[in-house]
Amino acid sequence: MLKFDEQKQIDSVAGALDLRGQIEEAVDTLCRTGCREAYYLGIGGTYASALQAEAHGREKSAFPVFAENAARYITSGNRRIGKGSAVVISSVTGTTPEMLEAVKRAKAAGALVLGFVDDAAAPLAGLVDFEIAYPGCEQLKFFMATDRFFWNNGDFPEYVEYHREMEQYLPRALAEAEKKADEFGKEFAQRHHADPIHYFVGAGSQYGAAYSYAMCYWEEQHWLRAKAVHAGEFFHGTLEIIDRDTPVTVFLGEDAERPLAERVANFLPRICGNFTLIDSRDYELAGIRPEYRGSLSHLVTHAVTQRIDAHIELLNRHPMEIRRYYRCLDY
Amino acid sequence: MLKFDEQKQIDSVAGALDLRGQIEEAVDTLCRTGCREAYYLGIGGTYASALQAEAHGREKSAFPVFAENAARYITSGNRRIGKGSAVVISSVTGTTPEMLEAVKRAKAAGALVLGFVDDAAAPLAGLVDFEIAYPGCEQLKFFMATDRFFWNNGDFPEYVEYHREMEQYLPRALAEAEKKADEFGKEFAQRHHADPIHYFVGAGSQYGAAYSYAMCYWEEQHWLRAKAVHAGEFFHGTLEIIDRDTPVTVFLGEDAERPLAERVANFLPRICGNFTLIDSRDYELAGIRPEYRGSLSHLVTHAVTQRIDAHIELLNRHPMEIRRYYRCLDY
């Protein structure tokens, strides 16, 4: 399999799950010191992950979780962020200018910041109140933090059991999902690697998945045009430009907003002959009980899209790490 | 001028501004009965308007204003909506199924609902606690309500003066903007009426404008492909697929997020030879003082895009009221 080191991937997920003690200590301290709400602050890909954390919170807890965009925060502000706010961030490089400025502003307003900054020596890491440095698995780390907020709020009674099950089964289950998806990923890549535009539709945590996949993968890394559409909004505009040949992919997860994506999936065959469904239900996740799958399905569809990416990269002879403009030109 | 009845438009805006007494009475009652936050609940175009109300609130007030999507609310829910929440909606037909279900749910949770349902006999109008029936001017009605919430919260001291100035000058100022924009609209339509895809970029209240224009106008009414991108997100993915010939339009308003749009506008000439700036600053708004323009600039750019629409409709011989699928097929 292209770009797939099974043991490395298993270790990566297991290592992220091993951060539980550190995450619990940080979140418990935040809650003890009076944080009444959490702002997942991001930009681009990290904003997409923040949208997923927010979607998770809508369903699971009365503890308020908000996605906050760093570029917006440093311009229009948000007067609710201050004392009593926990801000949660993630950054690979720890140097993104909007993030640096946003974290400074949130701290000046009195918020406390939990940072998943992969490089502990980066400027951003030095600004946060609680720093947890571990590469990758951003979506998982974000949900581990939300889950602890929810547990502290009395809303996630299955927390301990759920995390024990994740630790035991998730690393292997995701690797198995990726292996199972490889053939599909190859076929999908062959069919779509030169699409003029591709529509990705999702709801719940799958909207963040669609948003990230369209913008951070297709646009940024493959230089292919793509648009993410929330499944709930699909019928209020976008559907009118879908015809027989329009490439549309629906991500189906297993959280509370699944019916919105199903509605699109059920409708598409009547008007489109070029659609694909990526459904987390098609992947086993051995050992994990059905009622926990909704909180994990964004990790499953991400495992699937990684297989598509590996094949598109090869077919298009376009290395995913190159950028035409980003960090090459000032803005 | 195509599709433009000057007196009718002036009367339409003036009539909306005349709703001030009714809006104040409704909002004051909501605040008196303990509403501590407002949820602008919408779907499609009304969700875009809700995004604008939220953007307005970020800048202007500590009173929390949230955009809430009706399709999401009826699936993943929102536990914060309940007693103490004001829900504000707008609807032309008053029959959209997601909105009906969402309003029922919000009311069952204890929220009070202010409805701008144009047809007072529609099912939705019968569900709300405060009904104000007046056709059109949704964005203006939404902001009139937010402004009163802000004033009641002590955050908008210029409220009375601002509204007096709007009542005196805005109807004519917007009509003048539309007349001034007609030639531009015609040229823009000639250049872009057959674009394979068009990118609309905006920030602040102009993001809602871009979202609505791409989805509710280009996709839904012109059957043309378009994508809205928040100016703050533009540099984190989308920029990589912009090249010499990519059609990009940046909406520039005059609120706090303007610098994010300016950053895109300043960057584009280096990589793109097919971009357009639509800047509310280019329109005079005679009689309205500079510091009030930020709250009105989404109405200005809307006046401009209406001129584009009139010309695209003619060039494409595509009447804007027809739908391929919406309300023709069940979903």
Side-chain angles (χ1 to χ4, degrees):
Chain A
M1 260 169 74
L2 288 170
K3 285 180 95 172
F4 183 71
D5 178 332
E6 184 168 5
Q7 194 55 51
K8 199 173 151 195
Q9 189 187 301
I10 287 171
D11 294 344
S12 164
V13 176
L17 290 165
D18 275 346
L19 300 173
R20 177 144 79 102
Q22 286 180 68
I23 293 172
E24 288 177 352
E25 201 183 314
V27 172
D28 292 355
T29 307
L30 288 166
C31 292
R32 225 176 15 247
T33 53
C35 288
R36 305 170 318 270
E37 51 191 18
Y39 292 87
Y40 280 67
L41 176 76
I43 192 159
T46 54
Y47 180 62
S49 298
L51 291 172
Q52 296 182 321
E54 184 180 77
H56 189 45
R58 289 174 68 90
E59 178 174 348
K60 291 289 180 196
S61 178
F63 184 84
V65 172
F66 300 102
E68 178 70 27
N69 185 282
R72 301 193 69 189
Y73 181 57
I74 60 178
T75 48
S76 52
N78 183 333
R79 302 195 202 183
R80 288 178 293 113
I81 296 180
K83 206 170 140 47
S85 307
V87 168
V88 182
I89 64 159
S90 170
S91 179
V92 175
T93 63
T95 61
T96 311
E98 293 95 336
M99 288 299 294
L100 282 162
E101 198 177 332
V103 166
K104 283 178 195 161
R105 182 168 178 157
K107 285 188 61 69
L112 292 171
V113 184
L114 164 58
F116 295 104
V117 182
D118 295 3
D119 174 3
L124 200 48
L127 290 176
V128 304
D129 298 289
F130 305 89
E131 156 67 353
I132 298 176
Y134 181 81
C137 296
E138 172 179 290
Q139 299 169 304
L140 181 54
K141 291 182 289 191
F142 266 10
F143 273 44
M144 289 169 74
T146 54
D147 291 346
R148 189 66 179 184
F149 281 116
F150 302 163
W151 158 264
N152 285 339
N153 203 51
D155 291 329
F156 201 160
E158 68 275 30
Y159 176 85
V160 175
E161 189 55 40
Y162 169 73
H163 278 83
R164 196 174 300 143
E165 218 160 82
M166 282 217 292
E167 284 153 22
Q168 194 171 353
Y169 298 113
L170 190 66
R172 176 148 304 281
L174 290 177
E176 292 299 329
E178 204 160 329
K179 285 194 285 182
K180 182 179 171 189
D182 188 54
E183 190 55 34
F184 161 80
K186 188 176 177 184
E187 285 163 22
F188 185 96
Q190 283 165 342
R191 204 160 61 245
H192 295 293
H193 69 102
D195 281 350
I197 174 98
H198 196 111
Y199 293 88
F200 292 102
V201 182
S205 66
Q206 299 297 330
Y207 175 66
Y211 184 90
S212 159
Y213 197 54
M215 191 171 79
C216 307
Y217 289 81
W218 277 51
E219 290 186 334
E220 183 164 16
Q221 299 186 55
H222 296 304
W223 303 357
L224 289 171
R225 290 184 175 150
K227 173 173 176 169
V229 184
H230 195 288
E233 291 283 274
F234 178 82
F235 293 103
H236 298 275
T238 303
L239 86 164
E240 298 292 348
I241 52 82
I242 308 295
D243 59 18
R244 186 190 66 189
D245 300 321
T246 314
V248 185
T249 293
V250 185
F251 292 115
L252 294 115
E254 293 164 70
D255 61 16
E257 292 187 21
R258 179 179 175 91
L260 299 177
E262 282 179 333
R263 214 164 55 159
V264 178
N266 293 335
F267 182 82
L268 278 173
R270 297 195 65 190
I271 64 166
C272 179
N274 194 17
F275 71 90
T276 304
L277 308 181
I278 296 180
D279 190 342
S280 63
R281 272 202 191 152
D282 295 338
Y283 296 87
E284 188 193 2
L285 304 185
I288 290 171
R289 70 189 75 182
E291 60 267 37
Y292 295 166
R293 295 175 58 98
S295 303
L296 300 169
S297 40
H298 63 308
L299 304 176
V300 178
T301 51
H302 182 66
V304 177
T305 58
Q306 282 190 295
R307 300 323 307 154
I308 297 172
D309 292 331
H311 291 286
I312 289 184
E313 181 176 45
L314 177 65
L315 287 168
N316 286 355
R317 301 301 191 274
H318 181 101
M320 290 173 69
E321 61 268 37
I322 61 169
R323 298 291 175 274
R324 205 191 311 243
Y325 314 120
Y326 186 63
R327 293 187 191 253
C328 309
L329 296 175
D330 285 335
Y331 65 85
Chain B
M1 261 170 74
L2 287 170
K3 284 180 97 173
F4 182 71
D5 178 332
E6 184 168 6
Q7 194 54 50
K8 199 173 150 195
Q9 190 189 299
I10 288 172
D11 293 345
S12 165
V13 176
L17 290 164
D18 274 345
L19 301 173
R20 177 144 79 101
Q22 286 180 68
I23 292 173
E24 288 178 351
E25 202 183 313
V27 172
D28 292 355
T29 307
L30 288 167
C31 293
R32 226 178 12 248
T33 52
C35 287
R36 306 171 317 271
E37 51 191 19
Y39 292 87
Y40 280 67
L41 176 76
I43 192 159
T46 55
Y47 180 62
S49 298
L51 291 172
Q52 296 181 320
E54 185 180 76
H56 189 46
R58 289 173 69 91
E59 177 173 349
K60 291 288 179 196
S61 178
F63 184 84
V65 172
F66 301 102
E68 178 70 27
N69 186 283
R72 301 193 69 190
Y73 181 56
I74 61 178
T75 48
S76 53
N78 182 333
R79 301 195 203 184
R80 288 178 294 113
I81 296 181
K83 206 170 142 45
S85 306
V87 169
V88 182
I89 64 160
S90 170
S91 180
V92 176
T93 63
T95 61
T96 312
E98 293 95 337
M99 288 299 294
L100 282 162
E101 198 177 333
V103 166
K104 283 179 195 161
R105 183 169 178 157
K107 285 189 61 67
L112 292 170
V113 184
L114 164 58
F116 295 104
V117 182
D118 295 3
D119 175 3
L124 201 48
L127 290 177
V128 304
D129 298 289
F130 304 89
E131 156 66 354
I132 298 176
Y134 181 81
C137 296
E138 172 179 289
Q139 298 169 303
L140 181 54
K141 291 182 289 191
F142 266 10
F143 273 43
M144 289 169 74
T146 54
D147 292 346
R148 188 66 180 183
F149 281 116
F150 303 163
W151 158 262
N152 285 340
N153 203 51
D155 291 329
F156 201 160
E158 68 275 30
Y159 176 85
V160 174
E161 189 56 40
Y162 169 72
H163 278 83
R164 197 174 299 142
E165 217 161 80
M166 282 217 292
E167 284 154 22
Q168 196 173 351
Y169 298 112
L170 190 66
R172 175 149 305 280
L174 290 177
E176 291 300 328
E178 204 161 328
K179 285 194 285 183
K180 183 181 171 189
D182 188 52
E183 190 55 34
F184 161 79
K186 187 177 177 181
E187 285 163 22
F188 185 97
Q190 281 164 344
R191 204 161 60 246
H192 294 293
H193 69 101
D195 280 351
I197 174 99
H198 196 111
Y199 293 88
F200 293 102
V201 182
S205 66
Q206 299 298 329
Y207 175 66
Y211 184 90
S212 158
Y213 196 54
M215 190 172 78
C216 307
Y217 288 81
W218 277 50
E219 291 186 334
E220 183 164 16
Q221 298 185 56
H222 297 304
W223 304 357
L224 289 170
R225 288 184 178 151
K227 174 174 176 168
V229 184
H230 195 288
E233 291 283 274
F234 177 82
F235 292 103
H236 298 274
T238 303
L239 87 164
E240 298 292 348
I241 52 82
I242 307 296
D243 60 18
R244 187 189 66 188
D245 300 320
T246 314
V248 185
T249 294
V250 185
F251 292 115
L252 294 116
E254 293 164 70
D255 61 16
E257 292 187 21
R258 179 181 176 90
L260 299 177
E262 282 178 334
R263 213 163 58 157
V264 179
N266 293 335
F267 182 81
L268 278 173
R270 297 195 67 189
I271 65 166
C272 180
N274 195 15
F275 71 91
T276 305
L277 308 181
I278 296 180
D279 191 341
S280 63
R281 273 200 190 153
D282 295 338
Y283 297 87
E284 188 194 1
L285 303 184
I288 290 170
R289 70 188 76 183
E291 61 267 36
Y292 294 166
R293 295 176 58 98
S295 303
L296 300 170
S297 41
H298 63 306
L299 304 176
V300 177
T301 51
H302 183 67
V304 177
T305 58
Q306 281 190 296
R307 300 322 306 152
I308 297 172
D309 292 330
H311 291 286
I312 288 184
E313 182 176 44
L314 177 65
L315 287 168
N316 286 354
R317 302 302 192 274
H318 181 103
M320 290 174 68
E321 61 268 37
I322 61 170
R323 298 291 175 274
R324 207 192 308 245
Y325 314 120
Y326 186 62
R327 293 187 191 252
C328 308
L329 296 175
D330 285 335
Y331 65 86

